[in-house]
Amino acid sequence: MKKFFTIILIATSIFAQKFEKLALTPPMGWNSWNKFGCNINEEIIKKMADAMVESGMKDAGYQYIIIDDCWQGQRDSLGFIQPDPERFPSGMKALADYIHSKGLKFGIYSDAGWYTCGGRPGSRGYEFQDAKKYAEWGVDYLKYDWCYTEGLNAEGAYLTMRNALYAAKRPIVFSICEWGNNRPWLWAKNIGHLWRTTGDITACFDCVVDHGTWKSWGVMQILDMQKGLRAYAGPDHWNDPDMLEVGNGMSVNEDRAHFSMWCMLAAPLIAGNDLSNMTNETKEILTNKEVIAVNQDSLGIQGFKYFENDGLEIWFKPLMHDNWAVCFLNRSTKPIELNFQWNNYIVIDSLFNKEANFRNNIYQIRDLWLKKDIGTTEKNFHSVIPSHDVIMLRLKPIKK
Ligand code: GLA
């Protein structure tokens, strides 16, 4: 009998795989953590689903409503996980149905260790049972964290959950969250659809917050940590520099820069603000379709830093049909005057074999935040970038 089960177990792992093609472009959605932390309940989650539709976020491409930590209650006598009965009295199936009825998808959170980071039951030892429950509830996305995992091998632990999800037979996007500690970009391509590359983000443009045993990172700090990782990302397997802090307290300029850079990075766009109470500026940033199109471009190539000097960075991202996105980022605390002479430059992306040759070719320029065509690369580009802000352009070759 024991042998029989061993054979079944081995067979489940040999024939298991990641559900393919669930994230051909970076996933877009909303997650409860950045704004609400542990203070969540079914009313808040439903309200966010309503707001995602009413605010135009759904139309702009956002899909997933993801409940982060602290939804869990106790396991039942058979070991199946149950939601916290006070916060989610109607149960997870009802919540999933509600979210699905709005044309949205439902995401949930667990942890590879004994407990979640918030101290709720983790999935360790219960992976197959948890995956089965998620499938029954109608879960479409799982974020899987890394607290209380002492002694565990990360690749093995994430592989176990991947296999469990596959065995449960419901396609679920698998979001790996071990903070880049074990260099997941080297092993996670066939395990998950996205993997965190860093520790937690905080709503600050350029700072580090020290919590004693761990640190959270500002937008610029996280941006710098993406260096060297673009080779590993592409359709269905993305680097995840953590969720968005747009609308959570930074200035409008900083929010715009943060959002633009996440789009340049082909990062998952998971909003983390209160969708039911957004300023117009926040909404306009999160729903700018032309900026989002840079993120969602089907080539799925992560952008790169081409130039940096004195607080100015210039980033390029190859897009479909030989288009390019260009982002001028001002990290400094003063405005920067820009006088960019295109035809001095030949931009080469040797990793993905792309070239923007401004000496030989002319491109039409569209300013994606002004939403205006602003001429061609024949002329110098002259403008001023406010402090902690960007100018983001889309270039389209002009057929000769
Ligand atoms: C970790 C993750 C965060 C969030 C919290 C929840 O810190 O990195 O994104 O999920 O746990 O406790």
Side-chain angles (χ1 to χ4, degrees), residues 33 68-69 109 117-118 143 145 147 177 179 196 200 242-243:
W33 185 254
D68 207 279
D69 206 351
Y109 161 102
C117 299
K143 171 176 169 183
D145 215 338
C147 280
C177 177
W179 320 306
R196 282 275 294 278
D200 289 4
D242 206 0
M243 304 175 290

Side-chain angles (χ1 to χ4, degrees), residues 241-277:
D242 206 0
M243 304 175 290
L244 296 167
E245 290 282 17
V246 175
N248 279 345
M250 287 187 286
S251 72
V252 174
N253 307 63
E254 292 171 339
D255 275 353
R256 181 166 42 236
H258 169 32
F259 191 73
S260 303
M261 291 316 302
W262 262 230
C263 289
M264 293 298 286
L265 290 171
L269 296 180
I270 309 294
N273 58 315
D274 181 350
L275 300 183
S276 68
N277 187 14

